[in-house]
Amino acid sequence: MQKIIEASNLRVSFGKTQVLKNVSMTLHKDKITAIIGPSGCGKSTFLRCLNRMNDMYDNFKLEGAISFKGDNVYAKETDVIEMRRRIGMVFQKPNPFPSSIYENVAFGLRIQNINDKKILDEVVERSLKKAALWDEVKDRLGNSALRLSGGQQQRLCIARTIAVESEVILFDEPCSALDPTSTRKIEDLILELKKHYTIIIVTHNMHQAKRISDFTGFFHLGELVEFGETKKIFEDAKEKLTRDYVRGDFG
Amino acid sequence: MTPLRLKEKVIESTFFLSSSLAIFINLAIIAILTFESYGFFHKVSPIDFFTDTQWTPFFYDKHYGILSLFAGTFLTTVIALAVALPVGLISAIYLSEYSHSRFRVSVKPMLEMIAAVPTVVYGYFALLFVTPLLKNIIPGLASFNSLSAGIVMGIMIIPLIASLSEDAIHAVPLMLREGAFALGATRLQVVRRVLLPAAFSGIAASVILGVSRAIGETMIVAIAAGLQPRFTLNPLVPIETVTSYIVQVSQGDAAAGTIEFQTIFVAGASLFVMTFILNTISYGLRKRYMQAYV
Amino acid sequence: MKKSFLKKLSRNEMNDRIFSVVGLLATLLGVGVFLVLLADVAMDGLKRLNWSFLTSFPSRNPFDAGILSAWVGTVWLMAVTGAIAIPLGIMAGIYLEEYGKRNKLAGFIEVNIANLAGIPSIIYGLLGLGLFVRFLDLGRSVLAGGATLALLILPIIILATREALRAVPVSLREASFALGATKWQTLKYQILPAAFPGILTGIILAMSRAIGESAPLIMIGALAYIAFLPQQLSDPFTALPIQIFNWVSRPQHEFAVNAAAGILVLLFITLMMNGLAIWLRYRFEKKVRW
């Protein structure tokens, strides 16, 4: 097993509130890692640290280190733009751009000045196929993405990320705004994507973590309580807190 | 640095320069007003300027007592406020607490339209409609007077006070209203005992902004209030305000460097100081209520 | 005991009812006066409003006088004002909302803009007179007038731009950044198009404000009697509000009629622009659904 991202002694605060306390975690290539924990435990913050999405906030402060394939993500000379392309993200609420389905997928290429129609067509088709959306939208690529259903929008957001050839895809509770059928489709898709992508998924749904992930990390009050193989976390956790949580005693 | 990053930097710097223009404009205003005022006070003592009650720069016997212009500004502002404060505040309460949302949605654009009417139009209205109308009721009313100018100015300011006060009242959390309603209070009691105290700083901010607007208003008074500096509080006679004096002089041919030319900058400087103080207070109050509720 | 309790309650309710009537009247008062104003101006001016009024130069004879040089001057002014204020205002607004949030200097700029927004228009006239007419020696020209009005409406455009940018949901920025877009790419391709209707609304309102301004132009030295049209930026000019002011100030009734007719034209333009802005905003608010 090859490690791809490594977080060590991560301490994160927004203003005076400390959100993450000394978190260290190793993420493996081409595996699905689930991050679970009660709301407010810092799991989303952790995820957003991995591709520096928290940089947008004024009072964000981070200590410790995150490395991606050996490079320090927070180093001064890091090209944040390139790094974000390689570590893609799918958000809690589907957030397609208010443009056509086609342009949503093509956007990531266009900003790299790739405007060749042939290349774009090809990438759009391939990405939509990989995101299991092609058959549903192939006849109306010019339609507004905002007219798709919630589940379709979320798959479009995944296609968008695939199009820029991300190596890692971060999922921030991608199904929390979806109905069970759409959730199912996304889960199947994530399992399929695992073949080529490293996936990290934050979820408040323990069953989801259990169903799809290879590894699971349990966060509580800003600390990583336990991290290990999913089977072990759910059936034979070391910590009592973890056992209580996965049993549904709190959260 | 990569070309992409360089481009980003250049764009950011251009945007920064545009926004820093604001500092430059303020500095330019202050510099110009100070420079010309300095020339003025070289010739006229500040004591005379602030204590003399006559303003006669164009007479043989020259006096430079700004008080008579202040009196005009004060008078028109007080009259405007006497109209705009009650009407604006009552409208704000009505729109926020009494009216249906459909009524609010259709009335608010109308209020915006009222605020958008050019002031020269209001001047025409004050001089050629309101004054003749008032002459029927008040026989001693002069053709140019502060009363109709003030009233029309008040009407112009109503939308400002109404809309900003409504925002302030609307921003009071629903909880506070519900608490009072649960105790059996009527809407009016809730307004008086809960909403007005809670929204006080926001309402005060809107009123102060209204005062500042009235002090700075130019065309209505230049057209309808007369151009005769007079140290009086009689609303029926012609007066002159700080602003209308500036307009009066600039229509003529005061050459640069002369004291007549400098007087308009001195008048402008006192206007700037007054509105600056009022706007700052209003800004501070607004910030306070925004921190409290929004 | 019970009776007095009931009586008190009903008195409170009575006050409440009375207030709801008073409130309605107060709210409609402004609207009513506005309608009276419109009717008054229309009654005086409508009969004077004809083709030759729009195509004649001003004249000593009120019946020959028209607003040709006035409205052409206004068009020139607006072109200059827009060319200066719109790009500068949008860029400044973008900087303050998207780039400068962390630094103290941006905070200071913000206070400066808030101050500029509250300065009476006549002070801008003094600024224009001191800065453009004299210091930069532009004379009493269209350029000086347009530049002065540009400074006057700059804060309005900046504030409108910021508000429009603020209304664009964070999720859109996140989506773009997560795909590796730079800040400017995110702005150019996603944020600005989404904020465009809001910015446009602000621009229209600002321009409509500039069209109606008279005091600063009087300070700059816009003349009422101009019997020719500006050919270049350095030419002297007049404008609609200036012409109206000049006519209102004359004692003869015929000139007041001319003023009323000019006001009808001016009101038509400003109210149309405001109506358009309100309609745009209404449509935009309805459309947003991310």
Side-chain angles (χ1 to χ4, degrees), chain B residues 8 26 98 112 124 188 279, chain C residues 16 44 112 115 118 182 281:
Chain B
E8 293 282 318
N26 269 309
Y98 283 79
E112 268 181 73
Y124 171 94
L188 191 58
N279 292 343
Chain C
D16 200 47
D44 288 345
N112 273 275
N115 184 52
T182 64
R281 190 168 51 205

Side-chain angles (χ1 to χ4, degrees), chain B residues 32-287:
Chain B
I32 288 167
L33 294 179
T34 313
F35 176 75
E36 300 287 352
S37 302
Y38 181 78
F40 173 83
F41 283 119
H42 231 67
K43 300 168 192 159
V44 177
S45 105
I47 296 172
D48 288 348
F49 181 70
F50 285 114
T51 56
D52 197 336
T53 57
Q54 286 186 62
W55 179 266
T56 54
F58 297 109
F59 290 4
Y60 179 72
D61 177 25
K62 293 186 193 313
H63 283 273
Y64 299 97
I66 192 89
L67 282 182
S68 43
L69 296 183
F70 279 177
T73 295
F74 177 77
L75 194 54
T76 46
T77 302
V78 167
I79 295 167
L81 212 62
V83 173
L85 178 58
V87 178
L89 189 54
I90 291 171
S91 306
I93 295 168
Y94 182 78
L95 285 172
S96 171
E97 303 301 313
Y98 283 79
S99 72
H100 286 281
S101 64
R102 271 178 56 193
F103 179 81
R104 189 162 48 232
V105 166
S106 47
V107 163
K108 277 203 134 184
M110 298 259 238
L111 290 178
E112 268 181 73
M113 292 280 198
I114 296 171
V117 171
T119 52
V120 68
V121 178
Y122 281 118
Y124 171 94
F125 186 64
L127 180 69
L128 297 171
F129 184 84
V130 177
T131 297
L133 192 74
L134 289 177
K135 270 188 174 171
N136 294 332
I137 311 164
I138 311 165
L141 190 68
S143 294
F144 296 99
N145 60 78
S146 54
L147 184 60
S148 43
I151 291 174
V152 172
M153 210 196 278
I155 288 163
M156 184 193 79
I157 296 170
I158 289 172
L160 176 83
I161 294 186
S163 133
L164 291 181
S165 294
E166 199 226 319
D167 290 346
I169 296 170
H170 214 81
V172 177
L174 198 62
M175 276 171 12
L176 287 180
R177 288 184 184 79
E178 284 172 342
F181 280 128
L183 296 173
T186 64
R187 280 179 299 189
L188 191 58
Q189 287 170 321
V190 172
V191 167
R192 268 175 41 196
R193 301 191 187 267
V194 181
L195 299 181
L196 290 187
F200 180 77
S201 57
I203 294 170
S206 82
V207 174
I208 292 170
L209 210 59
V211 174
S212 162
R213 183 69 60 84
I215 289 176
E217 171 45 39
T218 308
M219 296 316 288
I220 300 177
V221 283
I223 292 171
L227 297 169
Q228 299 174 24
R230 193 172 298 197
F231 190 64
T232 179
L233 290 179
N234 179 357
L236 309 180
V237 296
I239 48 101
E240 182 157 53
T241 67
V242 179
T243 52
S244 56
Y245 172 73
I246 300 176
V247 164
Q248 185 198 2
V249 175
S250 21
Q251 281 183 282
D253 250 340
T258 62
I259 189 160
E260 288 78 17
F261 186 78
Q262 287 163 343
T263 53
I264 62 175
F265 288 89
V266 172
S270 37
L271 192 65
F272 181 80
V273 171
M274 280 190 279
T275 52
F276 177 77
I277 292 170
L278 291 170
N279 292 343
T280 309
I281 297 172
S282 174
Y283 186 74
L285 283 169
R286 231 176 8 230
K287 273 232 149 131

Side-chain angles (χ1 to χ4, degrees), chain C residues 154-169:
Chain C
L154 195 59
I156 307 178
I157 296 182
I158 294 175
L159 295 176
T161 302
R162 295 193 62 177
E163 217 161 285
L165 291 173
R166 214 174 303 148
V168 177

Side-chain angles (χ1 to χ4, degrees), chain C residues 3-284:
Chain C
K3 205 177 173 190
S4 73
F5 170 72
L6 278 174
K7 202 172 165 189
K8 186 139 186 266
L9 200 67
S10 68
R11 209 182 71 202
N12 281 335
E13 278 181 351
M14 187 65 97
N15 284 341
D16 200 47
R17 290 269 166 79
I18 292 171
F19 186 86
S20 69
V21 175
V22 172
L24 181 64
L25 291 177
T27 310
L28 294 179
L29 177 79
V31 179
V33 173
F34 178 61
L35 294 178
V36 169
L37 184 155
L38 280 184
D40 176 48
V41 177
M43 273 195 315
D44 288 345
L46 218 46
K47 56 180 180 278
R48 186 72 186 78
L49 201 59
N50 53 38
W51 187 246
S52 78
F53 183 72
L54 298 176
T55 54
S56 303
F57 286 106
S59 158
R60 278 175 213 288
N61 178 351
F63 300 104
D64 295 338
I67 55 168
L68 178 64
S69 50
W71 73 255
V72 173
T74 291
V75 171
W76 270 83
L77 272 179
M78 287 311 111
V80 175
T81 303
I84 298 172
I86 294 171
L88 283 177
I90 293 178
M91 290 196 292
I94 292 175
Y95 179 78
L96 291 174
E97 195 59 33
E98 304 286 335
Y99 290 89
K101 282 203 153 167
R102 286 172 208 231
N103 66 50
K104 288 218 170 80
L105 189 57
F108 180 63
I109 293 173
E110 225 165 282
V111 173
N112 273 275
I113 290 169
N115 184 52
L116 287 179
I119 290 180
S121 61
I122 194 159
I123 305 261
Y124 281 97
L126 289 169
L127 171 68
L129 181 60
L131 181 66
F132 297 126
V133 176
R134 295 193 52 222
F135 187 72
L136 295 178
D137 204 19
L138 300 178
R140 299 170 181 273
S141 62
V142 173
L143 183 57
T148 304
L149 291 183
L151 298 189
L152 176 75
I153 63 169
L154 195 59
I156 307 178
I157 296 182
I158 294 175
L159 295 176
T161 302
R162 295 193 62 177
E163 217 161 285
L165 291 173
R166 214 174 303 148
V168 177
V170 185
S171 63
L172 203 60
R173 288 156 219 264
E174 288 183 336
S176 178
F177 285 135
L179 291 173
T182 64
K183 196 151 193 167
W184 172 237
Q185 285 173 331
T186 302
L187 270 168
K188 186 171 148 198
Y189 295 115
Q190 302 299 344
I191 311 297
L192 286 176
F196 178 72
I199 296 175
L200 187 62
T201 306
I203 289 172
I204 296 173
L205 289 176
M207 293 300 279
S208 121
R209 163 92 193 272
I211 285 181
E213 275 298 338
S214 358
L217 296 180
I218 296 172
M219 315 285 325
I220 291 293
L223 306 164
Y225 271 97
I226 294 250
F228 55 87
L229 303 179
Q231 304 295 323
Q232 54 196 22
L233 290 175
S234 56
D235 284 348
F237 68 101
T238 185
L240 258 181
I242 301 292
Q243 186 62 64
I244 293 167
F245 173 59
N246 179 277
W247 279 333
V248 175
S249 313
R250 287 157 175 273
Q252 299 97 318
H253 174 70
E254 290 75 19
F255 280 114
V257 171
N258 281 358
I263 285 174
L264 285 177
V265 176
L266 183 63
L267 271 183
F268 178 75
I269 299 171
T270 49
L271 295 185
M272 285 300 274
M273 288 176 84
N274 274 270
L276 180 65
I278 291 166
W279 176 79
L280 258 175
R281 190 168 51 205
Y282 177 73
R283 239 190 81 117
F284 176 56

Side-chain angles (χ1 to χ4, degrees), chain A residues 23-69:
Chain A
V23 172
S24 299
M25 194 194 268
T26 303
L27 299 158
H28 300 287
K29 192 167 184 304
D30 296 346
K31 297 284 174 204
I32 300 177
T33 304
I35 295 173
I36 59 171
S39 46
C41 67
K43 56 189 193 296
S44 280
T45 301
F46 175 74
L47 192 75
R48 296 168 62 99
C49 285
L50 301 180
N51 66 342
R52 293 185 61 168
M53 284 304 280
N54 287 324
D55 288 18
M56 293 164 67
Y57 298 101
D58 294 350
N59 52 3
F60 168 70
K61 202 165 152 266
L62 175 139
E63 291 167 88
I66 297 174
S67 69
F68 170 59
K69 290 185 154 178

